[in-house]
Amino acid sequence: MTAVIEVENLTKRYRDTVAVDDVGFRIQKDAIYGLLGRNGAGKTTVMSILTAQNFATSGSVRVFGEDPYENPRVLSRMCFVRESQKYPDDAVPAHAFGSARLFFPRWDQALADRLIEDFQLPLRRPIKKLSRGQLSAVGVVIGLASRAEITFFDEPYLGLDAVARQIFYDRLLEDYSEHPRTVILSSHLIDEVANLIEKVIVLDGGTVVMDEDTDAVRDRAATIVGESAAVEAFVTGREVIHRESLGNVTSATVIGALDAADRNTLREARLEVAPVSLQQLIVRTTQNVAATRARIAAPVEEGALR
């Protein structure tokens, strides 16, 4: 597949804070990506650099094979919809859509009109007087109707209620199937977007901790539940990313696909296997990474006190 974004050794520092630390990944053409991670993981910083709204401290970013900074050939082919988007005080949604229609060469007005009706947007009300959900809907309309070759959604749907979010997901899939392009969704609502995304990149502490196809991620972990001694015997030698016990019952989430022999062992030991959702796996993985970092840092910190 063709890579439309290539990131190598990307680092961004703000004085004493490292927001992005030596990050590298590739984004393929015509796929829906989930750029996931907890707040402060570096997602918005990465997207801002990719869209030339921020500067890297070091490393390289190539979009369509070129540096995006002050490059209209690249910037006109991307759309960045962010939750904190600012508009002039006197702007109304009609102004925002009119400007977008002029900027994005692949703008589809019929799709914009349909989305405006779906979200019941008041076109002449000042944007500064819109509800948070209506403001989010303005961004969603621009992101979808632009039909940009690369579209970034940085949690612009936070203000939408469950019905409106489902409208967004449905319209995204409908239009993507007819007009494929590269879509990068940043979201903390991982379970909601799990069925949308084909590939997942997870950032934690400014570094990439997961970069895989979504189907492969789903198959890489399982939760083993049952009598504590039997669970511990089964998981010995395996990578355990989460463990909890209640009385004599233990639940352990392990990395690695289970083969036929594993499942036979589990049946004989009367242990249950529970699937791990994408959200659970990402949460457990980031927790495990954070715990590992803490263990590595602890001796240094203790030594510094002496």
Side-chain angles (χ1 to χ4, degrees):
M1 294 181 68
T2 303
V4 292
I5 295 174
E6 298 170 280
V7 176
E8 295 182 1
N9 307 118
L10 180 64
T11 297
K12 177 64 178 179
R13 293 187 180 88
Y14 296 97
R15 295 184 179 179
D16 296 330
T17 301
V18 180
V20 179
D21 187 9
D22 197 29
V23 161
F25 58 82
R26 293 162 63 90
I27 300 287
Q28 304 297 332
K29 180 182 179 182
D30 297 343
I32 300 179
Y33 280 76
L35 183 60
L36 310 175
R38 68 182 82 187
N39 291 337
K43 304 186 300 296
T44 298
T45 300
V46 168
M47 287 187 286
S48 296
I49 293 171
L50 290 174
T51 54
Q53 298 186 26
N54 204 337
F55 302 94
T57 303
S58 61
S60 68
V61 167
R62 310 292 288 180
V63 181
F64 301 118
E66 302 182 49
D67 186 336
Y69 181 66
E70 293 188 345
N71 188 337
R73 291 188 304 276
V74 172
L75 298 178
S76 64
R77 300 167 69 184
M78 293 192 292
C79 180
F80 183 21
V81 182
R82 56 193 307 168
E83 191 264 338
S84 58
Q85 185 66 48
K86 303 297 183 184
Y87 298 93
D89 287 344
D90 60 347
V92 300
H95 294 152
F97 301 143
S99 297
R101 183 169 59 247
L102 295 174
F103 184 79
F104 296 107
R106 296 167 51 156
W107 179 267
D108 188 289
Q109 188 59 46
L111 176 57
D113 292 339
R114 181 189 181 191
L115 293 166
I116 289 166
E117 182 177 351
D118 284 341
F119 293 117
Q120 301 177 8
L121 270 173
L123 291 177
R124 297 296 173 184
R125 182 180 300 172
I127 289 179
K128 66 180 181 180
K129 293 186 178 180
L130 296 180
S131 68
R132 190 180 184 190
Q134 290 170 330
L135 181 59
S136 295
V138 170
V140 166
V141 172
I142 292 174
L144 291 179
S146 70
R147 288 209 177 123
E149 292 172 67
I150 303 176
T151 304
F152 299 85
F153 287 100
D154 186 14
E155 304 218 52
Y157 32 82
L158 285 180
L160 300 178
D161 59 29
V163 173
R165 290 199 305 274
Q166 191 59 54
I167 290 172
F168 166 58
Y169 303 145
D170 290 345
R171 299 293 177 264
L172 170 60
L173 284 180
E174 288 173 12
D175 203 60
Y176 173 79
S177 65
E178 296 181 9
H179 303 276
R181 63 263 208 192
T182 302
V183 178
I184 297 98
L185 288 170
S186 169
S187 179
H188 70 283
L189 302 172
I190 299 173
D191 278 344
E192 282 197 10
V193 302
N195 291 328
L196 297 174
I197 58 180
E198 301 165 88
K199 300 176 183 292
V200 58
I201 297 174
V202 179
L203 295 177
D204 190 66
T207 63
V208 174
V209 298
M210 187 183 297
D211 182 359
E212 298 182 50
D213 290 347
T214 307
D215 288 342
V217 172
R218 289 193 179 99
D219 294 338
R220 66 181 289 219
T223 297
I224 313 302
V225 183
E227 192 269 329
S228 296
V231 170
E232 294 301 335
F234 181 81
V235 302
T236 298
R238 301 173 188 266
E239 182 181 355
V240 179
I241 60 172
H242 183 70
R243 181 189 277 105
E244 59 185 40
S245 298
L246 180 63
N248 194 39
V249 175
T250 292
S251 168
T253 301
V254 296
I255 294 294
L258 301 177
D259 59 23
D262 289 329
R263 294 188 180 278
N264 185 56
T265 299
L266 290 168
R267 283 193 296 272
E268 291 177 352
R270 297 183 180 180
L271 296 176
E272 297 181 7
V273 181
V276 181
S277 71
L278 184 62
Q279 176 161 306
Q280 287 176 317
L281 181 56
I282 290 173
V283 168
R284 300 309 185 200
T285 299
T286 53
Q287 287 175 335
N288 193 49
V289 169
T292 300
R293 288 185 184 133
R295 287 195 300 270
I296 293 172
V300 175
E301 294 173 355
E302 291 169 2
L305 296 176
R306 294 192 180 97

